Amino acid sequence: MVSLVLTYRNRNSRIVEKCLNSLKEQSDKDFQVVLVDYGSETKSAFHMEELCRKHNFIQYQYVPVQGQLWNKSRAINIGLKKCTSPYFLMGDIDLVFHPQMISRCKLLMEHHDVVYFQYGFLSKNESNRNKSFNEYEPEFLGKDEVTGTTLFRTKILKAINGYDEFYHGWGAEDTDVHLRLKNAGHDVHFYDEEILVKHQWHPKHYRTKKSTAPFHTGLERINHQYMLQNHSLKVTRANHEWGWGIMPKKEDIERLEKAELKIALSSQEEEIDAFLTGIFPTLKGSVIIKISLFKPAATLKNRLKKYLKKKHFRAYDIETLNNLLLSSIITHHRVACYNYSIDWHREEISLSLVPYASK
């Protein structure tokens, strides 16, 4: 039995349908799919659950993390925690799979502990067509640094505590798990004898400030450096302090809008630094935090003082403030229940948070 985990949030349903239909066409039916919906909006989640019901091999798992940073690692780990199959396949929702994908996976596991697969990338026009897997013509092929779809012996992945949940946003979590497995002494085999997965083209507005979901503008670069530093330290196991694959608690979700503490802050640098360094890490109970623009810093008089290098008010711009607060959430409250929203035009941030009690 092969367990395949797919992660999802507010994606185009046409892309998802092509992915699921390609799994329906598998020659070997000895597999199951867990589709982890990590915080889609209500309408999108409802549609996805209805779509999954059309396929008896799919288990739909909704994770109520609307208003939180995307965390693919945590979504994967939630699926991994449920896995009782000997083989665990991590895939992407924007792929189409070869009809022999599952049967090939079983054959490869006879010789390897970890295998990842070469991608065939489809153009925009090709992705918009309806074809069988073999009829799709890739625009180009991925090289061995494309690590998105990997097949594991389940016990090996669980032994290193799954994917590292430090990685929020996009990038590096797939390569990180390969590096940690290599550090643990496992061979990671790149399968490029044939193309078994083809990647559908899609826009990436969800990875910009155009997205309505929280977005840290520098996180992909931070993720990459964190991955390199972990590798240099020969790290094997992740998530020591926090645990892994933790589902949000229903009672914490209900407490989000029932604040025991309300905190109002401005964007003044000293005020934010004091809060993020001294107060934020120690928060207990439910809290609502509102941050607004520190207006004295924006006056012509203050800007002139700054230009003349005289004593002046200092305030963070909205992008820096956004990144600081999201980084602090990752550092101190990554498994907390929270809801984060930002108004880029009005330069206001709102955060409701219930710290995780078992940290």
Side-chain angles (χ1 to χ4, degrees), residues 111-152:
H111 306 285
H112 305 283
D113 289 338
V114 184
V115 180
Y116 68 111
F117 300 89
Q118 185 173 35
Y119 275 24
F121 287 90
L122 305 180
S123 67
K124 181 179 180 179
N125 288 337
E126 191 74 352
S127 296
N128 287 331
R129 298 188 173 101
N130 289 313
K131 297 181 176 183
S132 68
F133 181 90
N134 288 324
E135 290 175 329
Y136 281 116
E137 291 293 337
E139 186 176 24
F140 63 95
L141 300 182
K143 298 181 180 179
D144 60 357
E145 68 266 18
V146 180
T147 55
T149 299
T150 304
L151 174 67
F152 307 88

Side-chain angles (χ1 to χ4, degrees), residues 9-273:
R9 178 188 275 183
N10 296 328
R11 301 294 287 275
N12 185 295
S13 60
R14 181 182 56 80
I15 289 175
V16 178
E17 287 186 34
K18 284 186 178 182
C19 176
L20 300 185
N21 286 337
S22 73
L23 292 169
K24 183 180 178 181
E25 299 301 320
Q26 291 299 303
S27 61
D28 187 334
K29 306 297 184 182
D30 185 32
F31 72 98
Q32 59 184 6
V33 175
V34 178
L35 193 152
V36 182
D37 186 336
Y38 197 78
S40 288
E41 296 172 359
T42 303
K43 183 178 179 180
S44 180
F46 176 79
H47 179 74
M48 187 52 50
E49 186 172 12
E50 289 294 304
L51 181 60
C52 288
R53 285 177 180 167
K54 297 178 182 179
H55 304 281
N56 60 12
F57 56 86
I58 300 178
Q59 176 187 345
Y60 176 79
Q61 174 69 66
Y62 184 74
V63 186
V65 288
Q66 287 180 313
Q68 295 193 17
L69 279 165
W70 171 248
N71 190 338
K72 183 179 178 182
S73 291
R74 187 182 182 190
I76 295 168
N77 286 345
I78 286 170
L80 178 61
K81 275 285 181 72
K82 293 177 173 289
C83 182
T84 58
S85 306
Y87 310 130
F88 182 87
L89 177 61
M90 174 53 219
D92 285 326
I93 201 72
D94 49 17
L95 300 176
V96 287
F97 294 91
H98 191 288
Q100 302 296 322
M101 180 69 179
I102 298 301
S103 61
R104 293 287 195 280
C105 284
K106 290 181 179 180
L107 289 173
L108 287 165
M109 284 288 94
E110 293 178 4
H111 306 285
H112 305 283
D113 289 338
V114 184
V115 180
Y116 68 111
F117 300 89
Q118 185 173 35
Y119 275 24
F121 287 90
L122 305 180
S123 67
K124 181 179 180 179
N125 288 337
E126 191 74 352
S127 296
N128 287 331
R129 298 188 173 101
N130 289 313
K131 297 181 176 183
S132 68
F133 181 90
N134 288 324
E135 290 175 329
Y136 281 116
E137 291 293 337
E139 186 176 24
F140 63 95
L141 300 182
K143 298 181 180 179
D144 60 357
E145 68 266 18
V146 180
T147 55
T149 299
T150 304
L151 174 67
F152 307 88
R153 291 188 184 274
T154 306
K155 63 181 181 180
I156 288 174
L157 186 55
K158 287 185 175 181
I160 62 167
N161 291 347
Y163 280 66
D164 190 336
E165 295 183 23
F166 169 85
Y167 294 100
H168 289 64
W170 289 266
E173 74 283 333
D174 300 318
T175 301
D176 170 89
V177 77
H178 287 197
L179 294 175
R180 288 189 290 115
L181 285 164
K182 289 178 180 179
N183 289 341
H186 297 288
D187 174 58
V188 178
H189 178 68
F190 178 55
Y191 185 77
D192 59 354
E193 295 179 19
E194 58 185 329
I195 299 300
L196 296 175
V197 289
K198 293 177 181 177
H199 183 278
Q200 302 176 68
W201 180 93
H202 55 82
K204 297 182 178 180
H205 296 313
Y206 56 88
R207 295 171 69 164
T208 71
K209 289 191 287 186
K210 295 179 181 179
S211 170
T212 57
F215 176 71
H216 185 305
T217 62
L219 204 51
E220 291 187 38
R221 296 187 298 273
I222 293 172
N223 285 346
H224 183 71
Q225 286 300 317
Y226 174 78
M227 177 194 72
L228 294 177
Q229 291 171 21
N230 266 347
H231 185 49
S232 68
L233 294 171
K234 304 298 181 185
V235 170
T236 57
R237 298 176 72 235
N239 308 311
H240 295 283
E241 181 182 1
W242 299 96
W244 58 278
I246 297 172
M247 281 287 291
K249 297 178 181 178
K250 182 180 179 180
E251 57 268 30
D252 287 345
I253 297 170
E254 293 172 349
R255 292 171 61 199
L256 271 179
E257 302 304 322
K258 300 175 182 178
E260 299 166 11
L261 178 64
K262 294 185 178 181
I263 299 174
L265 301 169
S266 77
S267 60
Q268 187 176 17
E269 288 187 18
E270 295 85 352
E271 190 174 349
I272 295 299
D273 291 347

Side-chain angles (χ1 to χ4, degrees), residues 9 39-42 62 64-69 74 212-214 248 252-258 280 286-291 322 325-326 329 333-342 348-355:
R9 178 188 275 183
S40 288
E41 296 172 359
T42 303
Y62 184 74
V65 288
Q66 287 180 313
Q68 295 193 17
L69 279 165
R74 187 182 182 190
T212 57
D252 287 345
I253 297 170
E254 293 172 349
R255 292 171 61 199
L256 271 179
E257 302 304 322
K258 300 175 182 178
F280 194 65
S286 56
V287 59
I288 294 179
I289 302 160
K290 303 280 189 180
I291 306 177
N322 170 74
L325 187 51
L326 290 176
I329 290 172
H333 297 291
R334 70 179 65 163
V335 293
C337 272
Y338 70 90
N339 191 301
Y340 182 95
S341 64
I342 180 169
E348 294 177 347
I349 293 173
S350 177
L351 171 64
S352 302
L353 182 138
V354 179

Side-chain angles (χ1 to χ4, degrees), residues 310-354:
K310 293 184 177 181
K311 187 176 180 180
H312 61 281
F313 294 117
R314 298 180 302 168
Y316 287 117
D317 63 80
I318 189 63
E319 182 172 324
T320 301
L321 183 58
N322 170 74
N323 291 352
L324 283 171
L325 187 51
L326 290 176
S327 291
S328 294
I329 290 172
I330 294 170
T331 303
H332 302 294
H333 297 291
R334 70 179 65 163
V335 293
C337 272
Y338 70 90
N339 191 301
Y340 182 95
S341 64
I342 180 169
D343 187 323
W344 292 96
H345 177 69
R346 298 180 63 182
E347 300 186 274
E348 294 177 347
I349 293 173
S350 177
L351 171 64
S352 302
L353 182 138
V354 179

